[in-house]
Amino acid sequence: MKYFNRKLIFSITLGLFLISSAFVLAQENNETTDNQDSIIESDPQIEELNLKIEENKTKIENLKKASAEYADKIEEYKDEASNLKNQLGLMDNQVIKIELDAKTLKLQIDKIRLEIESLEYQIANKETEIEKYKQNLIEYIRQIAKDDQKTYLEILITNASFSEFFTQLTYLEEIQSDIQTTVNRLNLLKESVSLQKAEKEKQKNDLLDMQDKLASKEDKLKDELKAKEIILLQTKTSEIGYQKLLAAARQEQNEIDNEIYDIQNKIKDKIEKLKKEGTTAQTTLLNWPVPSQYVTAYFHDPDYPFRYVYEHPAIDIRAKQGTQIVAPADGYVARTVDAGMG
């Protein structure tokens, strides 16, 4: 009976000790995890990258504000009378706004590159940590395999005292706890790396998008400067010359509008005829007329340089001089015009 009581007391004592040891160990592991995260967050290289990213953010916001101010000025010029002074003022403000937008895009590109660099550095750190935990796990498993060859009786016999026996049992329990902690940490690290790699790919796609937008802005800037050059060349800074140019442009635009209207009526009559004959009009898919797919001005483009003179009822596509142009669909060429720039 006394032996049974001693055994019961020993089991309870051992259980309480292991529970308290596991609790302390869990606290230590949590602190270790927190410390590892804080070490990564406080890494000098990451801090430096984050500082540069924040500086870029501030510059980007300032440029966006300045761009918005010039956008307001542009709208004011559009509401004013069409004269040479106002047109040149409008174009000057459009040029400045495009330059500011281009600078903003360059900073956004730099910011994304810094974010990608930061992600790559963090991923490398975590992959190194993953490898370390894998090695720890291998060592734990080896130790468990070694100690599992012994029974509790063998451990008791091979230890000189009860205290050493108790220490050995605690050590084995701690190893098992460490294994669980290591496995949990490995899973968290792998999940974190996976998310960061996905974010890195997104940032790379954003970078390509920003680079395309920058190229578009730079081309648009060239178009604005070319348009201003043509205005100055053809008017010779004369208000009379500008008004003649304006009248000629409006007349040409009216002719084009009338031609489009006639074509629309012909198409409408053709569709009605097909309906009466019991057939349906076929949908034609338009091919891209040139290899380039860069649009310099959209249909009724609000940013078209001469929109205050007339609307832009077309889509302008940039192509190099001498580029072969293919028909977007079956038809015929009704009219060609050399407009100076195209």
Side-chain angles (χ1 to χ4, degrees):
M1 191 65 162
K2 287 180 182 180
Y3 171 75
F4 176 77
N5 288 337
R6 286 199 197 99
K7 187 176 180 181
L8 179 61
I9 293 169
F10 167 72
S11 299
I12 293 171
T13 304
L14 177 60
L16 289 173
F17 181 81
L18 291 177
I19 291 171
S20 62
S21 298
F23 179 73
V24 170
L25 184 62
Q27 283 187 319
E28 288 175 351
N29 287 328
N30 288 334
E31 288 173 3
T32 303
T33 301
D34 292 339
N35 288 336
Q36 287 166 341
D37 290 338
S38 64
I39 287 169
I40 291 173
E41 290 172 3
S42 62
D43 185 284
Q45 187 168 343
I46 293 178
E47 284 184 352
E48 184 181 352
L49 289 170
N50 287 337
L51 183 61
K52 289 180 180 178
I53 290 168
E54 289 303 317
E55 287 175 356
N56 274 18
K57 282 182 181 178
T58 304
K59 290 178 182 177
I60 288 167
E61 289 304 316
N62 290 336
L63 284 172
K64 283 183 177 179
K65 287 178 184 177
S67 178
E69 290 174 5
Y70 278 97
D72 292 337
K73 290 180 182 179
I74 289 169
E75 292 303 317
E76 290 174 9
Y77 272 108
K78 285 181 179 179
D79 294 335
E80 294 178 2
S82 289
N83 57 51
L84 182 59
K85 181 182 176 182
N86 287 342
Q87 169 150 343
L88 292 175
L90 172 61
M91 299 182 87
D92 285 340
N93 280 279
Q94 285 178 322
V95 166
I96 293 171
K97 183 182 181 300
I98 293 171
E99 287 175 339
L100 289 170
D101 290 342
K103 286 181 181 178
T104 302
L105 285 168
K106 286 178 181 177
L107 283 172
Q108 287 175 325
I109 287 170
D110 288 342
K111 173 177 164 288
I112 292 173
R113 282 176 176 158
L114 288 169
E115 288 171 344
I116 290 173
E117 186 180 344
S118 176
L119 283 169
E120 287 175 343
Y121 186 75
Q122 292 180 58
I123 288 169
N125 280 350
K126 287 180 180 176
E127 286 179 339
T128 300
E129 190 179 356
I130 285 172
E131 190 58 34
K132 183 189 74 175
Y133 273 93
K134 282 182 178 178
Q135 294 303 319
N136 289 345
L137 194 58
I138 291 170
E139 187 57 37
Y140 284 143
I141 292 170
R142 283 176 182 165
Q143 191 62 39
I144 286 290
K146 175 184 174 183
D147 291 332
D148 271 355
Q149 303 302 318
K150 299 179 182 179
T151 64
Y152 282 111
L153 181 60
E154 287 175 319
I155 294 171
L156 181 59
I157 293 169
T158 55
N159 283 282
S161 66
F162 175 77
S163 175
E164 289 177 2
F165 167 71
F166 190 76
T167 301
Q168 181 72 8
L169 289 178
T170 304
Y171 169 69
L172 292 174
E173 293 292 337
E174 285 177 351
I175 286 179
Q176 291 178 8
S177 178
D178 283 346
I179 288 174
Q180 185 60 54
T181 302
T182 302
V183 169
N184 291 341
R185 180 62 179 168
L186 269 173
N187 289 335
L188 286 172
L189 285 169
K190 286 180 178 179
E191 184 179 354
S192 178
V193 167
S194 177
L195 290 172
Q196 286 182 321
K197 284 183 176 179
E199 178 63 19
K200 178 183 166 183
E201 288 305 309
K202 178 182 175 298
Q203 295 283 30
K204 282 185 176 179
N205 291 333
D206 289 345
L207 180 61
L208 293 174
D209 183 52
M210 287 292 175
Q211 288 172 333
D212 288 341
K213 287 181 179 178
L214 178 59
S216 175
K217 285 291 179 186
E218 288 173 343
D219 286 337
K220 197 171 185 64
L221 179 60
K222 291 177 185 177
D223 290 340
E224 292 286 342
L225 293 171
K226 184 66 176 177
K228 182 181 177 181
E229 181 184 335
I230 289 172
I231 292 293
L232 291 172
L233 182 64
Q234 294 184 359
T235 64
K236 297 179 180 178
T237 65
S238 164
E239 183 62 36
I240 295 173
Y242 171 73
Q243 292 301 331
K244 286 181 180 179
L245 181 65
L246 183 61
R250 284 176 172 166
Q251 182 180 351
E252 183 181 352
Q253 186 62 43
N254 287 334
E255 290 174 1
I256 294 171
D257 289 344
N258 290 332
E259 188 174 346
I260 291 171
Y261 181 73
D262 290 340
I263 292 171
Q264 286 175 334
N265 285 335
K266 288 178 183 178
I267 292 171
K268 184 178 178 182
D269 293 341
K270 179 70 174 176
I271 291 172
E272 291 298 325
K273 184 180 177 181
L274 289 171
K275 285 181 178 178
K276 288 178 182 178
E277 293 174 354
T279 58
T280 57
Q282 297 295 316
T283 300
T284 301
L285 295 177
L286 298 180
N287 295 317
W288 206 256
V290 289
S292 166
Q293 296 188 11
Y294 176 66
V295 177
T296 58
Y298 292 91
F299 189 80
H300 285 197
D301 196 330
D303 294 325
Y304 187 62
F306 305 104
R307 188 168 181 246
Y308 44 89
V309 178
Y310 52 80
E311 286 291 345
H312 184 252
I315 294 174
D316 293 350
I317 305 166
R318 176 181 289 282
K320 292 181 180 180
Q321 188 73 25
T323 298
Q324 183 180 8
I325 302 172
V326 299
D330 292 339
Y332 66 95
V333 177
R335 181 165 168 259
T336 61
V337 177
D338 182 356
M341 289 193 297

mmCIF file of all heavy atoms in Angstrom, residues 67 70 74 91-105 214 216-225 303:
data_model
loop_
_atom_site.group_PDB
_atom_site.id
_atom_site.type_symbol
_atom_site.label_atom_id
_atom_site.label_comp_id
_atom_site.label_asym_id
_atom_site.label_seq_id
_atom_site.Cartn_x
_atom_site.Cartn_y
_atom_site.Cartn_z
ATOM 1 N N SER A 67 0.737 67.769 -59.850
ATOM 2 C CA SER A 67 0.099 67.373 -61.104
ATOM 3 C C SER A 67 -1.385 67.748 -61.102
ATOM 4 O O SER A 67 -1.919 68.215 -62.117
ATOM 5 C CB SER A 67 0.254 65.870 -61.324
ATOM 6 O OG SER A 67 -0.387 65.461 -62.510
ATOM 7 N N TYR A 70 -1.848 71.448 -61.868
ATOM 8 C CA TYR A 70 -1.729 71.750 -63.298
ATOM 9 C C TYR A 70 -2.927 71.225 -64.074
ATOM 10 O O TYR A 70 -3.313 71.816 -65.088
ATOM 11 C CB TYR A 70 -0.426 71.175 -63.851
ATOM 12 C CG TYR A 70 0.759 72.066 -63.580
ATOM 13 C CD1 TYR A 70 1.608 71.834 -62.496
ATOM 14 C CD2 TYR A 70 1.022 73.173 -64.377
ATOM 15 C CE1 TYR A 70 2.686 72.665 -62.221
ATOM 16 C CE2 TYR A 70 2.101 74.008 -64.122
ATOM 17 C CZ TYR A 70 2.929 73.750 -63.037
ATOM 18 O OH TYR A 70 3.987 74.585 -62.774
ATOM 19 N N ILE A 74 -5.199 73.452 -66.604
ATOM 20 C CA ILE A 74 -5.538 73.001 -67.960
ATOM 21 C C ILE A 74 -7.032 73.157 -68.209
ATOM 22 O O ILE A 74 -7.457 73.629 -69.277
ATOM 23 C CB ILE A 74 -5.095 71.538 -68.166
ATOM 24 C CG1 ILE A 74 -3.566 71.457 -68.233
ATOM 25 C CG2 ILE A 74 -5.704 70.932 -69.428
ATOM 26 C CD1 ILE A 74 -3.008 70.054 -68.162
ATOM 27 N N MET A 91 -1.050 74.163 -73.805
ATOM 28 C CA MET A 91 -0.075 73.131 -74.166
ATOM 29 C C MET A 91 1.120 73.130 -73.220
ATOM 30 O O MET A 91 1.659 72.077 -72.882
ATOM 31 C CB MET A 91 0.370 73.318 -75.618
ATOM 32 C CG MET A 91 -0.786 73.208 -76.607
ATOM 33 S SD MET A 91 -0.281 73.363 -78.323
ATOM 34 C CE MET A 91 0.136 71.674 -78.690
ATOM 35 N N ASP A 92 1.542 74.328 -72.788
ATOM 36 C CA ASP A 92 2.649 74.412 -71.823
ATOM 37 C C ASP A 92 2.274 73.706 -70.524
ATOM 38 O O ASP A 92 3.086 72.959 -69.943
ATOM 39 C CB ASP A 92 2.997 75.875 -71.533
ATOM 40 C CG ASP A 92 3.767 76.524 -72.680
ATOM 41 O OD1 ASP A 92 4.347 75.781 -73.484
ATOM 42 O OD2 ASP A 92 3.770 77.768 -72.763
ATOM 43 N N ASN A 93 1.046 73.928 -70.050
ATOM 44 C CA ASN A 93 0.593 73.283 -68.810
ATOM 45 C C ASN A 93 0.431 71.781 -68.987
ATOM 46 O O ASN A 93 0.713 71.009 -68.067
ATOM 47 C CB ASN A 93 -0.730 73.909 -68.344
ATOM 48 C CG ASN A 93 -0.524 75.214 -67.613
ATOM 49 O OD1 ASN A 93 -0.208 75.245 -66.431
ATOM 50 N ND2 ASN A 93 -0.669 76.321 -68.330
ATOM 51 N N GLN A 94 0.003 71.365 -70.173
ATOM 52 C CA GLN A 94 -0.116 69.930 -70.438
ATOM 53 C C GLN A 94 1.265 69.266 -70.427
ATOM 54 O O GLN A 94 1.419 68.159 -69.911
ATOM 55 C CB GLN A 94 -0.806 69.703 -71.788
ATOM 56 C CG GLN A 94 -2.311 69.962 -71.739
ATOM 57 C CD GLN A 94 -2.978 69.787 -73.090
ATOM 58 O OE1 GLN A 94 -2.409 70.158 -74.121
ATOM 59 N NE2 GLN A 94 -4.175 69.253 -73.095
ATOM 60 N N VAL A 95 2.241 69.957 -70.997
ATOM 61 C CA VAL A 95 3.614 69.427 -71.016
ATOM 62 C C VAL A 95 4.150 69.283 -69.590
ATOM 63 O O VAL A 95 4.732 68.248 -69.230
ATOM 64 C CB VAL A 95 4.541 70.345 -71.846
ATOM 65 C CG1 VAL A 95 6.009 70.007 -71.588
ATOM 66 C CG2 VAL A 95 4.227 70.201 -73.328
ATOM 67 N N ILE A 96 3.939 70.327 -68.766
ATOM 68 C CA ILE A 96 4.420 70.280 -67.376
ATOM 69 C C ILE A 96 3.740 69.148 -66.616
ATOM 70 O O ILE A 96 4.387 68.413 -65.854
ATOM 71 C CB ILE A 96 4.173 71.628 -66.667
ATOM 72 C CG1 ILE A 96 5.051 72.715 -67.305
ATOM 73 C CG2 ILE A 96 4.492 71.524 -65.174
ATOM 74 C CD1 ILE A 96 4.748 74.108 -66.833
ATOM 75 N N LYS A 97 2.428 68.995 -66.818
ATOM 76 C CA LYS A 97 1.687 67.932 -66.122
ATOM 77 C C LYS A 97 2.202 66.550 -66.524
ATOM 78 O O LYS A 97 2.396 65.672 -65.669
ATOM 79 C CB LYS A 97 0.195 68.022 -66.426
ATOM 80 C CG LYS A 97 -0.631 66.976 -65.673
ATOM 81 C CD LYS A 97 -2.088 67.050 -66.021
ATOM 82 C CE LYS A 97 -2.880 66.011 -65.221
ATOM 83 N NZ LYS A 97 -2.434 64.624 -65.495
ATOM 84 N N ILE A 98 2.451 66.359 -67.818
ATOM 85 C CA ILE A 98 2.960 65.063 -68.281
ATOM 86 C C ILE A 98 4.344 64.796 -67.695
ATOM 87 O O ILE A 98 4.657 63.669 -67.288
ATOM 88 C CB ILE A 98 3.002 65.016 -69.823
ATOM 89 C CG1 ILE A 98 1.582 65.043 -70.382
ATOM 90 C CG2 ILE A 98 3.723 63.753 -70.303
ATOM 91 C CD1 ILE A 98 1.515 65.212 -71.884
ATOM 92 N N GLU A 99 5.186 65.837 -67.630
ATOM 93 C CA GLU A 99 6.525 65.688 -67.040
ATOM 94 C C GLU A 99 6.426 65.287 -65.569
ATOM 95 O O GLU A 99 7.183 64.428 -65.093
ATOM 96 C CB GLU A 99 7.306 66.992 -67.180
ATOM 97 C CG GLU A 99 7.763 67.264 -68.609
ATOM 98 C CD GLU A 99 8.429 68.616 -68.772
ATOM 99 O OE1 GLU A 99 8.196 69.503 -67.914
ATOM 100 O OE2 GLU A 99 9.157 68.816 -69.754
ATOM 101 N N LEU A 100 5.485 65.898 -64.840
ATOM 102 C CA LEU A 100 5.281 65.545 -63.427
ATOM 103 C C LEU A 100 4.777 64.112 -63.292
ATOM 104 O O LEU A 100 5.225 63.371 -62.407
ATOM 105 C CB LEU A 100 4.295 66.514 -62.774
ATOM 106 C CG LEU A 100 4.797 67.936 -62.528
ATOM 107 C CD1 LEU A 100 3.642 68.840 -62.100
ATOM 108 C CD2 LEU A 100 5.880 67.951 -61.461
ATOM 109 N N ASP A 101 3.861 63.727 -64.169
ATOM 110 C CA ASP A 101 3.337 62.352 -64.144
ATOM 111 C C ASP A 101 4.444 61.343 -64.438
ATOM 112 O O ASP A 101 4.497 60.267 -63.835
ATOM 113 C CB ASP A 101 2.207 62.194 -65.168
ATOM 114 C CG ASP A 101 0.949 62.960 -64.766
ATOM 115 O OD1 ASP A 101 0.835 63.316 -63.572
ATOM 116 O OD2 ASP A 101 0.100 63.210 -65.636
ATOM 117 N N ALA A 102 5.341 61.711 -65.378
ATOM 118 C CA ALA A 102 6.463 60.821 -65.714
ATOM 119 C C ALA A 102 7.410 60.672 -64.525
ATOM 120 O O ALA A 102 7.876 59.572 -64.217
ATOM 121 C CB ALA A 102 7.210 61.354 -66.934
ATOM 122 N N LYS A 103 7.688 61.795 -63.825
ATOM 123 C CA LYS A 103 8.542 61.738 -62.632
ATOM 124 C C LYS A 103 7.896 60.873 -61.550
ATOM 125 O O LYS A 103 8.585 60.107 -60.861
ATOM 126 C CB LYS A 103 8.779 63.149 -62.093
ATOM 127 C CG LYS A 103 9.747 63.984 -62.923
ATOM 128 C CD LYS A 103 9.941 65.367 -62.314
ATOM 129 C CE LYS A 103 10.885 66.214 -63.150
ATOM 130 N NZ LYS A 103 11.047 67.581 -62.595
ATOM 131 N N THR A 104 6.571 60.998 -61.408
ATOM 132 C CA THR A 104 5.841 60.182 -60.425
ATOM 133 C C THR A 104 5.990 58.698 -60.746
ATOM 134 O O THR A 104 6.255 57.879 -59.858
ATOM 135 C CB THR A 104 4.350 60.562 -60.412
ATOM 136 O OG1 THR A 104 4.214 61.945 -60.101
ATOM 137 C CG2 THR A 104 3.579 59.737 -59.378
ATOM 138 N N LEU A 105 5.841 58.352 -62.019
ATOM 139 C CA LEU A 105 5.964 56.953 -62.428
ATOM 140 C C LEU A 105 7.377 56.424 -62.186
ATOM 141 O O LEU A 105 7.554 55.279 -61.770
ATOM 142 C CB LEU A 105 5.592 56.809 -63.905
ATOM 143 C CG LEU A 105 4.093 56.895 -64.224
ATOM 144 C CD1 LEU A 105 3.871 57.046 -65.721
ATOM 145 C CD2 LEU A 105 3.356 55.669 -63.708
ATOM 146 N N LEU A 214 5.072 54.501 -68.088
ATOM 147 C CA LEU A 214 6.115 55.524 -68.240
ATOM 148 C C LEU A 214 6.449 55.722 -69.720
ATOM 149 O O LEU A 214 6.576 56.872 -70.186
ATOM 150 C CB LEU A 214 7.370 55.117 -67.465
ATOM 151 C CG LEU A 214 8.565 56.066 -67.578
ATOM 152 C CD1 LEU A 214 8.204 57.464 -67.086
ATOM 153 C CD2 LEU A 214 9.762 55.531 -66.799
ATOM 154 N N SER A 216 4.502 55.202 -72.179
ATOM 155 C CA SER A 216 3.343 55.882 -72.755
ATOM 156 C C SER A 216 3.383 57.378 -72.476
ATOM 157 O O SER A 216 3.117 58.202 -73.361
ATOM 158 C CB SER A 216 2.057 55.273 -72.188
ATOM 159 O OG SER A 216 0.929 55.986 -72.626
ATOM 160 N N LYS A 217 3.728 57.744 -71.239
ATOM 161 C CA LYS A 217 3.818 59.162 -70.861
ATOM 162 C C LYS A 217 4.916 59.867 -71.653
ATOM 163 O O LYS A 217 4.742 61.007 -72.098
ATOM 164 C CB LYS A 217 4.087 59.300 -69.373
ATOM 165 C CG LYS A 217 2.894 59.013 -68.472
ATOM 166 C CD LYS A 217 1.836 60.087 -68.603
ATOM 167 C CE LYS A 217 0.631 59.760 -67.715
ATOM 168 N NZ LYS A 217 -0.475 60.731 -67.936
ATOM 169 N N GLU A 218 6.048 59.202 -71.818
ATOM 170 C CA GLU A 218 7.166 59.801 -72.552
ATOM 171 C C GLU A 218 6.794 60.017 -74.019
ATOM 172 O O GLU A 218 7.155 61.044 -74.617
ATOM 173 C CB GLU A 218 8.404 58.921 -72.420
ATOM 174 C CG GLU A 218 9.011 58.969 -71.017
ATOM 175 C CD GLU A 218 10.132 57.975 -70.816
ATOM 176 O OE1 GLU A 218 10.239 57.023 -71.630
ATOM 177 O OE2 GLU A 218 10.907 58.145 -69.843
ATOM 178 N N ASP A 219 6.040 59.051 -74.605
ATOM 179 C CA ASP A 219 5.577 59.215 -75.985
ATOM 180 C C ASP A 219 4.557 60.353 -76.086
ATOM 181 O O ASP A 219 4.563 61.123 -77.047
ATOM 182 C CB ASP A 219 4.957 57.914 -76.497
ATOM 183 C CG ASP A 219 6.014 56.856 -76.795
ATOM 184 O OD1 ASP A 219 7.171 57.242 -77.032
ATOM 185 O OD2 ASP A 219 5.674 55.662 -76.779
ATOM 186 N N LYS A 220 3.701 60.424 -75.081
ATOM 187 C CA LYS A 220 2.687 61.486 -75.064
ATOM 188 C C LYS A 220 3.351 62.859 -74.961
ATOM 189 O O LYS A 220 2.906 63.826 -75.580
ATOM 190 C CB LYS A 220 1.734 61.267 -73.893
ATOM 191 C CG LYS A 220 0.426 62.042 -74.017
ATOM 192 C CD LYS A 220 -0.551 61.605 -72.948
ATOM 193 C CE LYS A 220 -1.907 62.265 -73.128
ATOM 194 N NZ LYS A 220 -2.571 61.874 -74.372
ATOM 195 N N LEU A 221 4.420 62.944 -74.184
ATOM 196 C CA LEU A 221 5.165 64.195 -74.046
ATOM 197 C C LEU A 221 5.754 64.607 -75.401
ATOM 198 O O LEU A 221 5.684 65.787 -75.786
ATOM 199 C CB LEU A 221 6.282 64.026 -73.015
ATOM 200 C CG LEU A 221 7.172 65.247 -72.763
ATOM 201 C CD1 LEU A 221 6.351 66.426 -72.257
ATOM 202 C CD2 LEU A 221 8.274 64.906 -71.767
ATOM 203 N N LYS A 222 6.296 63.644 -76.123
ATOM 204 C CA LYS A 222 6.832 63.925 -77.453
ATOM 205 C C LYS A 222 5.733 64.445 -78.385
ATOM 206 O O LYS A 222 5.951 65.380 -79.171
ATOM 207 C CB LYS A 222 7.464 62.665 -78.042
ATOM 208 C CG LYS A 222 8.743 62.220 -77.346
ATOM 209 C CD LYS A 222 9.251 60.920 -77.948
ATOM 210 C CE LYS A 222 10.467 60.409 -77.178
ATOM 211 N NZ LYS A 222 10.939 59.090 -77.701
ATOM 212 N N ASP A 223 4.551 63.832 -78.296
ATOM 213 C CA ASP A 223 3.430 64.267 -79.135
ATOM 214 C C ASP A 223 3.016 65.700 -78.813
ATOM 215 O O ASP A 223 2.724 66.491 -79.710
ATOM 216 C CB ASP A 223 2.227 63.326 -78.942
ATOM 217 C CG ASP A 223 2.478 61.951 -79.533
ATOM 218 O OD1 ASP A 223 3.368 61.831 -80.398
ATOM 219 O OD2 ASP A 223 1.792 60.995 -79.124
ATOM 220 N N GLU A 224 2.964 66.027 -77.521
ATOM 221 C CA GLU A 224 2.587 67.377 -77.099
ATOM 222 C C GLU A 224 3.596 68.408 -77.607
ATOM 223 O O GLU A 224 3.219 69.470 -78.115
ATOM 224 C CB GLU A 224 2.491 67.445 -75.576
ATOM 225 C CG GLU A 224 1.351 66.646 -74.961
ATOM 226 C CD GLU A 224 -0.007 67.303 -75.171
ATOM 227 O OE1 GLU A 224 -0.046 68.507 -75.483
ATOM 228 O OE2 GLU A 224 -1.025 66.614 -75.010
ATOM 229 N N LEU A 225 4.881 68.101 -77.471
ATOM 230 C CA LEU A 225 5.923 69.016 -77.923
ATOM 231 C C LEU A 225 5.893 69.172 -79.445
ATOM 232 O O LEU A 225 6.100 70.279 -79.970
ATOM 233 C CB LEU A 225 7.297 68.509 -77.465
ATOM 234 C CG LEU A 225 7.539 68.536 -75.945
ATOM 235 C CD1 LEU A 225 8.836 67.822 -75.610
ATOM 236 C CD2 LEU A 225 7.561 69.965 -75.414
ATOM 237 N N ASP A 303 -7.844 64.112 -73.184
ATOM 238 C CA ASP A 303 -6.515 64.721 -73.133
ATOM 239 C C ASP A 303 -5.975 65.060 -74.512
ATOM 240 O O ASP A 303 -4.797 65.418 -74.651
ATOM 241 C CB ASP A 303 -5.539 63.767 -72.424
ATOM 242 C CG ASP A 303 -5.895 63.582 -70.957
ATOM 243 O OD1 ASP A 303 -6.363 64.547 -70.351
ATOM 244 O OD2 ASP A 303 -5.695 62.471 -70.443
#
